[in-house]
Amino acid sequence: MAALGLEAVMREVDGEIRGLEQALPGRDLALQSTVDQALRLANRLMLAFAQTTGHPLDIGEDDDPLEVFKAFVKGDPSLNAIRDNVRELVYYRNCLSSGREDALPVNPVAMAVRTIRHVYLYVRTRAIKEHGLKEV
C-alpha cells in the first residue's frame, strides 16, 4: 500500500472517530458497538501502517486485536507505544463479554472513543514523520 493508500485509510478512520466524538455529548452511543468499532479501527490503522512500511500482515481487520498488534510491532519495538491503548479496548470488550460492566471505568463509552483517537494520533504522527503522509 502506497502512502496514498494509507492517507485514504487515515481519512476514513478519522471520519469514523469524528462521528463517534460528535455522538458523545448526547450519549447516543452503545458501549458494545463503540468498543467493537474502536477495535476494528485500531486494527485497520495497524494493518494500513504496516502495509505502507513494507511489512504487510497476513491478518485481517476483524481478527483479534492482540494478534494484530503482536504482528504489527514485530521488527519495530517503538510501535509498542500504542500497546496500552489496544489492551484497554480489549479489556472493555472482555468486561462486556463476561458481564462485568462493574469493572469498567466511569463513562467507558467516552474512554473508548478517546482511546481510539489516541491510537489514530500516534499512527498519524508516525506516518507523517516517517512516510511522508500529508497532514490529514
Side-chain angles (χ1 to χ4, degrees), residues 4-125:
L4 291 176
L6 177 61
E7 193 170 310
V9 169
M10 298 296 285
R11 274 195 227 300
E12 291 168 8
V13 169
D14 183 46
E16 286 192 49
I17 296 170
R18 282 183 198 273
L20 291 171
E21 290 168 335
Q22 290 169 352
L24 278 177
R27 308 269 191 256
D28 293 335
L29 298 174
L31 180 57
Q32 182 71 58
S33 61
T34 301
V35 169
D36 290 344
Q37 183 177 4
L39 287 167
R40 275 192 310 280
L41 293 174
N43 280 356
R44 192 162 182 214
L45 288 168
M46 290 185 285
L47 292 166
F49 186 85
Q51 181 76 25
T52 299
T53 62
H55 180 232
L57 305 178
D58 189 23
I59 199 161
E61 190 174 308
D62 293 323
D63 286 327
D64 182 339
L66 294 176
E67 292 301 316
V68 175
F69 176 76
K70 188 167 62 172
F72 174 67
V73 300
K74 190 175 271 183
D76 188 352
S78 69
L79 294 172
N80 270 309
I82 64 168
R83 178 188 67 209
D84 289 343
N85 297 118
V86 173
R87 290 174 71 187
E88 181 176 354
L89 292 169
V90 169
Y91 173 76
Y92 294 176
R93 181 194 66 192
N94 292 345
C95 285
L96 292 169
S97 298
S98 63
R100 290 294 317 270
E101 289 83 1
D102 61 309
L104 292 167
V106 175
N107 202 354
V109 173
M111 292 297 293
V113 173
R114 288 183 180 98
T115 300
I116 190 56
R117 175 57 77 188
H118 288 213
V119 172
Y120 168 82
L121 290 172
Y122 179 80
V123 173
R124 180 180 138 230
T125 301

